[in-house]
Amino acid sequence: MVGGRRGTLLAALLAVWIAAAAAEAEDGPEQAALPEERSLVRPMTASNWTLVLEGEWMLKFYAPWCPSCQQTDSEWETFAKNGEILQISVGKVDVIQEPGLSGRFFVTTLPAFFHAKDGIFRRYRGPGIYEDLQNYILEKKWQSVEPLTGWKSPASLTMSGMAGLFSISGKIWHLHNYFTVTLGVPAWCSYVFFIIATLIFGLFMGLVLVVISECFSMPLPRHLSERSEQSLRSEEAHTAEQLQDVEEEKDDSNEEENKDSLVDDEEEKEDLGDEDEAEEDEEDSPVPGRDEERSEALDQRAPGEAPEDEAPGGETADDTPKQPSLAGAEVAAEDTLRQRRSQHPDKGDEGDKGDEGPSA
């Protein structure tokens, strides 16, 4: 009895297991036949980015290694699903695969969002959440954002050059990874290789520029070159003569000024000399009133009296020492006056003798 029950239980379990395996086998092909959900976000590359110049677009710049970019992936997919309702196209750019586009838009932070409307680009600086993105489009908040115009526009020639530089840098980076990762070359060897390549490329470009300049610059004929040299020499000689003339004029003007100053000094000296002579003449000229009074006093004195100017010992009263405060000119003038005064008494005595002679 016990053995029969165990056999029945095992048979039931085996039947259940077979039924489950069959069910899984039937459901497997159906699940495998279901297609994967297609993403509505359109990848943008250097070949198809010009589609953004028409219509309304929202672009997202990301990198696979960026955690912030990965957090906004689901929100960006949801926003792309409602793109038909919002009448907007949604795209994304991998900056690792498309460094040229990152340079064209001058992307410096990740993730970076841009809005484009008929070729006019604006930077969206809000969060990458579906609700905020939807309101940004429905409420047309992008109209209050300053557009990227002029040289900042991704379609400008300046940013096209920037895209080329970023593309070259991306290729160099891929080549460096190929040397170091794939081939196992040390990093410093890769750096030396790029330094040498840069020097060689610079020399080559310089040679190309020299050749282009030689091709497009037409050499002047020999007679024209000689004339140009002669004209340059004549101009240099003319300028030298002008400089010499200016220096000579300056010297002449300085000499004339010196002569004028000397003449003025001589005239001033002559004027001062004339004034001194006039003062001396005034001092030397006798005063008429004083001479007459002196003569009358001499006539009236007694014969035995000595002149008032003479002292009893025969010395004149004027021989007393003078004060040292008198100037030299005044002393000379007084001496001449004394001499003239001394001559007047002698003339008076001779007159008296003349009168006595005839009376005798």
Side-chain angles (χ1 to χ4, degrees), residues 233-276:
R233 291 176 182 175
S234 62
E235 288 179 358
E236 291 177 356
H238 183 64
T239 53
E241 291 177 357
Q242 288 181 350
L243 292 173
Q244 290 179 356
D245 295 337
V246 170
E247 292 178 355
E248 290 177 357
E249 290 178 357
K250 289 182 179 179
D251 296 336
D252 295 337
S253 62
N254 293 329
E255 291 178 358
E256 291 178 357
E257 289 178 358
N258 294 330
K259 289 180 181 179
D260 293 337
S261 62
L262 292 173
V263 170
D264 294 337
D265 294 338
E266 291 177 357
E267 290 179 354
E268 289 179 358
K269 290 180 180 179
E270 291 178 357
D271 293 338
L272 292 173
D274 294 337
E275 291 178 358
D276 295 337

Side-chain angles (χ1 to χ4, degrees), residues 307-320 338 342:
E308 294 178 356
D309 296 336
E310 295 180 358
E315 295 179 357
T316 60
D318 293 334
D319 290 338
T320 58
R338 289 195 195 102
S342 63

Side-chain angles (χ1 to χ4, degrees), residues 50-224:
T50 53
L51 298 174
V52 183
L53 300 176
E54 297 179 358
E56 190 172 6
W57 285 77
M58 283 293 292
L59 294 178
K60 173 188 174 181
F61 288 81
Y62 72 100
W65 50 262
C66 176
S68 299
C69 301
Q70 295 173 3
Q71 292 176 2
T72 59
D73 286 343
S74 60
E75 300 288 339
W76 196 251
E77 291 289 342
T78 305
F79 179 65
K81 291 178 181 178
N82 295 320
E84 295 180 359
I85 300 173
L86 299 174
Q87 296 180 355
I88 188 171
S89 301
V90 180
K92 62 180 180 180
V93 179
D94 186 355
V95 296
I96 302 300
Q97 299 297 328
E98 300 294 335
L101 283 181
S102 65
R104 185 180 292 275
F105 285 82
F106 202 70
V107 176
T108 56
T109 57
L110 295 175
F113 303 95
F114 286 88
H115 174 267
K117 177 71 173 177
D118 297 329
I120 299 175
F121 297 88
R122 292 175 175 85
R123 181 74 179 266
Y124 171 74
R125 299 185 181 276
I129 301 174
Y130 168 70
E131 289 78 7
D132 293 330
L133 294 169
Q134 185 177 7
N135 294 330
Y136 185 78
I137 300 301
L138 293 176
E139 297 176 5
K140 295 185 179 181
K141 294 181 180 180
W142 50 268
Q143 293 179 352
S144 60
V145 179
E146 184 179 359
L148 301 175
T149 57
W151 66 271
K152 296 180 181 180
S153 176
S156 65
L157 182 62
T158 305
M159 302 312 291
S160 298
M162 188 68 69
L165 291 176
F166 273 66
S167 298
I168 294 172
S169 65
K171 291 177 181 179
I172 293 173
W173 182 76
H174 287 298
L175 185 60
H176 174 72
N177 287 337
Y178 175 75
F179 288 156
T180 56
V181 176
T182 306
L183 300 180
V185 177
W188 65 270
C189 293
S190 177
Y191 295 149
V192 170
F193 170 77
F194 285 114
I195 291 171
I196 295 173
T198 303
L199 293 175
I200 294 172
F201 181 74
L203 293 173
F204 176 74
M205 291 301 296
L207 180 62
V208 170
L209 291 176
V210 170
V211 172
I212 291 172
S213 63
E214 289 292 334
C215 292
F216 285 96
S217 62
M218 298 297 293
L220 292 173
R222 185 174 182 180
H223 63 280
L224 292 177

